[in-house]
Amino acid sequence: MLCALIMAGGKGERFWPLSTDEKPKQFLKLLGEDTMIQMTVKRLEKLISVEKIFVVTAKRYVNLVKEQLPNLPERNIIVEPVGKNTAPCIGLSAFLIHKYYKDASIVVLPSDHLIVDEEGFRNTIKAANGFIENNKDAIVTLGMRPDRPEIGYGYIKYSKTEEILNGFEVRKVDKFVEKPNLETAKEYLNEGNFLWNGGMFVWKCSTVIKLTKEYLANTYKVLSEIAATSEDEFNMVLENRYPQVDNVSVDYGIMEKAENIYVIPSDFGWDDIGTWYSVERYRDKDDNNNVCVGDIKNIEGSNNIVVSKEKPIVVVGLDDVFVVESDDIIFVGKKEDIERIKEIKNKVI
């Protein structure tokens, strides 16, 4: 049985000022009429019923999840009292999903990525789940075939050993590597056996629990105590005990140490929508290559990104600028400074 776990607790700081601590990017309409989390759920629903889709998020975002996903059962919203990185939140979720569905596999994925070929994406998940059903202790991650030397993503190096499953390659993972510099990224592209790490993987809940016990003993102890609590006392125990888990990513805490891990090289049009440049790649542009969202008048200017929330914005005679109106602030800058958004935010707020 396949369930989905959507991670929706991030702050989306690189989309400031539109993305805020109160309403981060997964709850924004960055690419169309649906928010990022709504897009994520919609593409999953053709493969997994909503009763088997779970969202793990911060306490402050629970009402946003309920508002944007009204059909999601309330029990399927898993709440982190405090942010402790991805290993504990996935571990907590595995314990709880395991209560409902004893032999469940889960596809773990972020709430704010873009998938262009949604049918190809679902078929890849099905292939990964088929592999897991035959190899119950394994982990299958989805790695994206790179088309450029990207320094913003981590990479997965895979071995030459190949297995074909329903038309999909399944490769043994050699190692996970951190975000490289440009020269190293070019080497990865030339070597041909490196994939972008999209942060999506399929494994049994029982495997999550077992590996958490093996590699993160303290976290396992805390989570097992929380999971064993009665329904009446669950929230109180969760609030009191969860802050004591280890603050560690699933990549560092488990993936880099696990041995039985595989990857499916994938080509379904993935993008992590990490910065405003991602929006520029996928939003419609006018004849002068401007991205204009909202009531915008762009006169004698080119290559601009202009986003209006309520007020009309007029840009005259400017090229390569970035203008965003939010509830609290109007940001105007050069596009070349988009990568410095977090740094600029910290200076302003």
Side-chain angles (χ1 to χ4, degrees), residues 1-284:
M1 176 182 298
L2 180 62
C3 298
L5 175 64
I6 300 170
M7 296 183 290
K11 294 181 179 179
E13 291 181 287
R14 289 179 293 175
F15 277 93
W16 183 81
L18 209 58
S19 176
T20 64
D21 290 352
E22 291 72 33
K23 193 173 185 179
K25 70 166 180 171
Q26 58 267 34
F27 302 108
L28 300 178
K29 297 178 181 179
L30 294 175
L31 298 178
E33 293 305 311
D34 290 322
T35 66
M36 300 303 293
I37 194 170
Q38 287 171 335
M39 291 171 66
T40 301
V41 170
K42 282 186 176 181
R43 77 173 65 104
L44 284 169
E45 281 184 307
K46 292 183 180 179
L47 176 64
I48 302 169
S49 65
V50 71
E51 291 78 14
K52 296 182 180 68
I53 296 175
F54 294 79
V55 174
V56 58
T57 191
K59 183 164 58 174
R60 68 194 305 181
Y61 304 140
V62 168
N63 287 337
L64 281 170
V65 173
K66 290 180 178 179
E67 174 189 318
Q68 295 194 5
L69 303 174
N71 295 327
L72 189 74
E74 188 163 351
R75 74 163 192 180
N76 290 27
I77 303 174
I78 298 168
V79 183
E80 264 194 302
V82 293
K84 285 287 189 173
N85 218 314
T86 52
C89 83
I90 293 170
L92 172 67
S93 303
F95 268 103
L96 298 180
I97 295 170
H98 187 65
K99 279 187 173 182
Y100 305 132
Y101 305 107
K102 289 298 181 185
D103 193 40
S105 301
I106 50 173
V107 52
V108 179
L109 65 166
S111 58
D112 51 9
H113 288 185
L114 172 71
I115 305 294
V116 176
D117 179 5
E118 297 190 352
E119 186 64 24
F121 167 73
R122 288 187 289 268
N123 287 336
T124 306
I125 291 176
K126 282 193 283 188
N129 187 51
F131 185 87
I132 292 297
E133 290 301 322
N134 293 321
N135 302 270
K136 293 187 181 296
D137 291 331
I139 305 167
V140 177
T141 185
L142 310 186
M144 314 307 145
R145 296 188 192 274
D147 58 8
R148 61 184 185 273
E150 175 63 56
I151 64 173
Y153 306 149
Y155 284 71
I156 302 166
K157 182 182 180 183
Y158 61 83
S159 71
K160 301 300 182 183
T161 304
E162 179 184 43
E163 181 175 336
I164 301 296
L165 181 67
N166 297 327
F168 289 86
E169 295 177 41
V170 181
R171 302 274 193 167
K172 191 80 168 62
V173 169
D174 186 4
K175 64 178 179 178
F176 292 86
V177 292
E178 299 297 324
K179 297 175 183 178
N181 58 32
L182 183 58
E183 183 179 346
T184 304
K186 289 178 179 178
E187 291 175 4
Y188 291 167
L189 194 62
N190 290 333
E191 288 184 33
N193 62 327
F194 284 83
L195 305 166
W196 290 335
N197 184 358
M200 295 180 279
F201 33 91
V202 181
W203 48 356
K204 289 286 186 183
C205 284
S206 56
T207 302
V208 182
I209 294 167
K210 182 180 73 173
L211 294 178
T212 301
K213 183 178 182 179
E214 183 174 352
Y215 298 124
L216 299 169
N218 171 66
T219 295
Y220 173 82
K221 182 176 184 296
V222 173
L223 296 181
S224 59
E225 290 174 9
I226 293 170
T229 305
S230 68
E231 187 174 342
D232 291 340
E233 296 183 342
F234 179 83
N235 289 333
M236 180 186 69
V237 174
L238 178 66
E239 289 277 350
N240 292 335
R241 292 289 281 135
Y242 191 79
Q244 298 167 39
V245 299
D246 303 291
N247 189 347
V248 62
S249 71
V250 71
D251 282 353
Y252 182 78
I254 294 178
M255 295 293 175
E256 293 180 8
K257 301 169 184 175
E259 295 182 357
N260 199 13
I261 182 163
Y262 298 82
V263 63
I264 296 179
S266 302
D267 287 304
F268 42 66
W270 169 88
D271 199 308
D272 81 336
I273 311 299
T275 72
W276 285 104
Y277 284 126
S278 308
V279 173
E280 184 181 42
R281 284 198 290 272
Y282 297 104
R283 278 281 189 176
D284 291 337

